[in-house]
Amino acid sequence: METILVLLHTEADGSLGRNAWEACQAARAAAEASSGGGRLVAGVVGAGARAAAERLGGLGAQRLLAVEGEAYAVSRYATDAAAAEALARAAQATLVLAPGTSRWSRALPGVAQRLNAKVDTHVTALSCDGGALTISRWYYRQRIDVTLARQARPWVLLLDGGAFPAWAPTDGQAQVESVAPSPPAVRTRVEGIESPAADRQTIRPDAPLLFVAGAGWTKKQRDGQPHVEEAASLILDFVTRAQCSLGSSKSLVDLSGEGQAVLPFLTHLHQVGQTGSTPRHPKGLATCCHGEEPHVVGWRFIADRRAVNLDANCGWARGKADVLYVADAFAVMRHLNALLDG
Amino acid sequence: MSVSYQIVVCAGLAPDPLQTLEPVPGPALKNELALPAVLDPWAAHALYEAAHLAKSRPGSKVYLVALAPKAKLQQVMMTVAQKLPFELIALDGPMSGFADAAEVAAALSAAVSGIAGLDRERWLLFGGWESATRGAGATMQMLAERLGIIDQFLAVDELRVEEDGSLRVWERVEGGGHQVSLCEGPPAMLAWATGRLPEPVNNPQIGMANMRGVMPALQRARPAPPLGGGIEYRKVALPAQQRQTRVVKDAAPEEIARELAAWIRE
Ligand SMILES: Cc1cc2nc3c(=O)[nH]c(=O)nc-3n(C[C@H](O)[C@H](O)[C@H](O)COP(=O)(O)OP(=O)(O)OC[C@H]3O[C@@H](n4cnc5c(N)ncnc54)[C@H](O)[C@@H]3O)c2cc1C
C-alpha cells in the first residue's frame, strides 16, 4: 500500500498558496487510485505551519505533521531539505507529492537523493494504468508528451502549478504533530525578495491573458524608421488596461544585452519559450513575434491563441495559433487600447 | 579579500532547438546522432558566468564536465572551446532526455570526484537549472547532495562576490521576482537561469589553447554506466493537436481591434 505524503510549505504570511491546495487534491486522487487504497499523510513546513496544517483536517490524512520555527520560515536549501527529509522519514512515505514551487523545486531533488528515492518534476497529470500509478510530463521543453511509471519507491513528484484542480478545505478533526528535523549547518542568510513595484510588475501568472511582444516592435516600419517609444507606450498601455501578463520573445529581450534601442521594462524573466518560461493562461495574444518553434514551445499551456503579424507566412499561420491577423500591430493596438478604455 | 575559485560546470548537449524532434521506441529521438547539437542552453549560461568570474579572480580555473556521446561532444567543442578557457572532463554516454536524473547525477558525481586537487574552500559547482532535454531541474541538486554541498541555489540570474568573500545570489522566484541570499562562501552549487552575460564571441587563440586539452580529454572519456533508472515509459508521443489556423487578411485594424476586444472580454 502506498503511503502518500503531501508535502506543503506556507507562504511568507503563513497561508497555503493555490499550488498547495492543488497538491492536496492530487494527493487525494492518488490515494483513491492506488491499489488497496493509499494512506495519506500531510506535512507542512514554514512560518505558521501548525496553523496551516490545522486547516487540513478534512483532507482525510491519517497524520498531519508540521515543521515550524524561525529557521524554516524562509526558502533555503539547507533548512528546507532538512525539514522535508524529516517529514518524509516520519511519514514513511513511499510517494511524496509536492507543488512545484521555486522553494520545493530547489529542495526536493536533493531530498530524494538523501532518501535514495527517484524524483520526477513538472508533473501535469496522475493516473492509474493496470494498477500502477503513472505520471505525465513533457520532455524536450514541452515538445514530447510522456507518460511513465516507476516501480522504485520512495518516489518524489513535483506537480506543475495549474495542472490540477484545487481542493477546497472542508472541516475535520486536525491533530497536528510537530516534527523536529536534525538542525543543518546554516551558512546562507535569506535577505529578501526583489520584485518590481506592484504598479510596474508586468508578469502576472494569474492573469487570464498573456500578451507577447516580439522583436518586430523594434524593427524599421513602413516609413523606414523604428518607433520604439511608441511601441513601448502601446505595449505598456495595453498591459495596464487589459491587466494581462507580459511576455516576450528571446530576440526582443536579447536586444538589451546588445546595446540596441529596446523596451526598458523587459527582462529575461519575460522571455517565453525554449530557454524562457512556459506560463499557463487561458488566452494568449502574440504581436510582432514570428512564432518560431523555440518560442512557441513556451505556449504549450496557452489554450486559446491569437497573433498579429504583417507576415501571412509566419510560424503562427502554420497551426500554432487559432487566429492570425495579418496586420500592422501598431495600428491594431492603437485601436484596441482605445476600445479597452471604455 | 581576493579568492580564486575552482568552478566545476556541468553541461550536457541538446538537439538544436530549431530541429524537428520525433520520438522512436527506446525511447529515443529519431536520428538523434545526426541532429545538430548545442551545449545545453542554460548550462551554457552557467559556463559563461563561470568564465567571467574566473577572469575577474586571477588563479581561478574552470572545469567543464560533460556527459554526452563523444563524437557529438567533439563537434560542439569546436565552437564552445573558442569562447573561454576550460579543462574538459568528458564522459561518453547518451545525450537523451529519457535518461534518469538520479543516474546522471551519480555518473557526474563520479567524474567530479575524480578531479584532482579540488579544494572545498574554493569550489563552486555550476550547471543549468533545467536541461533542454529532460527539463527536470533535478540533476544539479542530486549531484550537489552526493558531493556534500548543502548551499544550493536554483534558477540563478546573478552572483556577486562580496569583499569578504561571501556570495550574494539572486534566484528567480514566482511572479517575476528574485530571492536574494547571502552565502558565507564556497562550496556552493549554483544552477543558472539566463544570467546577465551575453554569449562570448569566438576567439581562435582560446580555441587553439583549449583544443590541446580537449582532444586528449575526449580520448580519455570513460563510458557512462546505464542511465535508464528503471523508468517504464508507457507513452512517448508528439502532441496530437495541430490547430486549424484562421488567417484573417485584408481586415481593417479597427475591425481586428473590435474582434480582439470582444475576445478578451469573453
Ligand atoms: C538555443 C536557442 C534557444 C531559443 N530560445 C528561445 C526562447 O526561449 N524564446 C524565444 O522567443 N525564442 C527562442 N529562440 C529564438 C527563436 O528561434 C527566434 O529567433 C525568436 O523567437 C524570434 O523572435 P521574434 O519572433 O520576436 O523576432 P523575429 O524573428 O525578428 O520576428 C519579428 C516579427 O515581427 C513581425 N513584425 C514586424 N513589424 C511588425 C508590425 N508592425 N506588425 C506586425 N508584425 C510585425 C515580422 O513580420 C516578424 O514576423 C531560441 C533560439 C535558440 C537557437
Side-chain angles (χ1 to χ4, degrees), chain A residues 159-225:
Chain A
L159 312 176
D160 257 3
F164 298 85
W167 177 64
T170 52
D171 285 342
Q173 224 203 334
Q175 266 204 330
V176 180
E177 302 167 48
S178 285
V179 172
S182 18
V186 174
R187 302 170 65 247
T188 291
R189 182 160 53 82
V190 176
E191 297 185 317
I193 304 289
E194 277 183 6
S195 41
D199 59 338
R200 286 174 46 216
Q201 178 56 280
T202 51
I203 297 174
R204 302 182 177 122
D206 297 325
L209 177 71
L210 170 73
F211 178 79
V212 159
W217 282 108
T218 62
K219 301 264 162 83
K220 283 183 187 159
Q221 295 300 312
R222 252 174 240 164
D223 60 0
Q225 301 296 321

Side-chain angles (χ1 to χ4, degrees), chain A residues 215 219 221 249-250 271-272 274-275 288 290 295 309 328-329:
Chain A
K219 301 264 162 83
Q221 295 300 312
S249 69
K250 181 175 189 296
Q271 184 186 323
V272 171
Q274 171 93 18
T275 45
C288 298
H290 203 73
H295 175 74
N309 198 304
D328 176 6

Side-chain angles (χ1 to χ4, degrees), chain B residues 51-128:
Chain B
H52 183 74
L53 176 60
K55 206 169 164 184
S56 70
R57 302 272 154 174
S60 298
K61 179 164 178 179
V62 176
Y63 300 85
L64 173 61
V65 178
L67 190 170
K70 214 155 91 161
K72 271 282 160 278
L73 202 50
Q74 183 173 345
Q75 280 170 17
V76 173
M77 284 303 124
M78 292 295 177
T79 47
V80 175
Q82 296 199 39
K83 296 187 183 297
L84 48 113
F86 58 80
E87 180 180 329
L88 177 70
I89 293 104
L91 268 174
D92 191 14
M95 59 184 268
S96 168
F98 300 112
D100 182 37
E103 305 293 340
V104 173
L108 291 174
S109 162
V112 174
S113 306
I115 300 176
L118 278 186
D119 169 3
R120 290 181 74 83
E121 306 273 296
R122 300 167 55 208
W123 181 21
L124 296 173
L125 180 65
F126 279 17

